[in-house]
Amino acid sequence: MTNRFEEARNRIKEFEGLLWGDYKENAVVFCRAYLEFHLGHFKEALQLVNSLLQDYKDVYYALDGRTLLLRCYFKLMDYDQLQTQGESFRQFLRRLGGKEALSPSYLEAYSEFLKNISQLGKIMTGLPTKREEKMGRFVERLK
């Protein structure tokens, strides 16, 4: 482990004692998950994110946790889970957007992330993307 990552791990431990309130556990778990992801420990990061998503105190931890979850599945090449969790995230965003609990710019950014990671997953598995499907239908109409 490089010094930067070791320093980050130490900072998380150091500041954990200084945090208080309802968000302490979420903050520590999210930071640990993010660190594990950047160390390449994707399964460990997944476990941490899943525990975070079971009991999040702030919607932004849930949103960023879900993006990290999808990134882990992509890195682990688990494209089935990527698609399943991506659809779950899409429904979560719809619920938040309908309640106006999320600003339109945040909603758009997370939706764009979902669209892009979904397309990457399809490309990696050889499934046609929406654009390719549209092109195929267009070509069929021309015949």
Side-chain angles (χ1 to χ4, degrees):
M1 185 174 356
T2 66
N3 288 340
R4 288 181 35 220
F5 291 121
E6 190 60 41
E7 183 179 337
R9 189 178 306 283
N10 290 335
R11 294 285 181 193
I12 292 169
K13 288 178 185 173
E14 177 184 337
F15 287 109
E16 180 178 2
L18 300 175
L19 297 172
W20 51 271
D22 293 339
Y23 302 107
K24 176 182 177 174
E25 180 75 20
N26 284 174
V28 171
V29 170
F30 183 77
C31 289
R32 287 181 53 217
Y34 214 78
L35 178 62
E36 293 300 330
F37 176 84
H38 284 285
L39 285 168
H41 305 155
F42 306 120
K43 289 183 180 180
E44 291 85 351
L46 267 176
Q47 290 174 339
L48 290 164
V49 171
N50 279 320
S51 72
L52 171 73
L53 294 176
Q54 296 299 316
D55 187 33
Y56 64 88
K57 303 292 185 210
D58 184 283
V59 70
Y60 293 101
Y61 282 118
L63 291 164
D64 290 341
R66 287 174 186 258
T67 60
L68 187 55
L69 186 80
L70 293 175
R71 292 171 67 190
C72 287
Y73 284 129
F74 184 80
K75 289 288 195 175
L76 290 167
M77 294 185 269
D78 189 343
Y79 303 118
D80 290 336
Q81 277 299 320
L82 178 70
Q83 295 301 322
T84 301
Q85 294 298 325
E87 186 53 39
S88 174
F89 191 10
R90 190 170 282 107
Q91 291 172 5
F92 182 71
L93 284 176
R94 279 191 208 116
R95 288 194 308 271
L96 286 177
K99 294 179 185 176
E100 296 181 10
L102 195 61
S103 72
S105 61
Y106 275 99
L107 188 61
E108 183 180 343
Y110 285 110
S111 296
E112 192 67 23
F113 168 79
L114 271 172
K115 182 180 94 174
N116 290 331
I117 202 154
S118 176
Q119 285 182 345
L120 282 171
K122 286 180 178 180
I123 289 168
M124 298 303 287
T125 58
L127 294 173
T129 62
K130 285 187 179 183
R131 184 177 197 176
E132 292 169 333
E133 289 172 357
K134 286 180 185 177
M135 288 299 293
R137 287 192 300 268
F138 178 73
V139 169
E140 286 301 314
R141 284 193 313 230
L142 292 176
K143 289 183 180 179

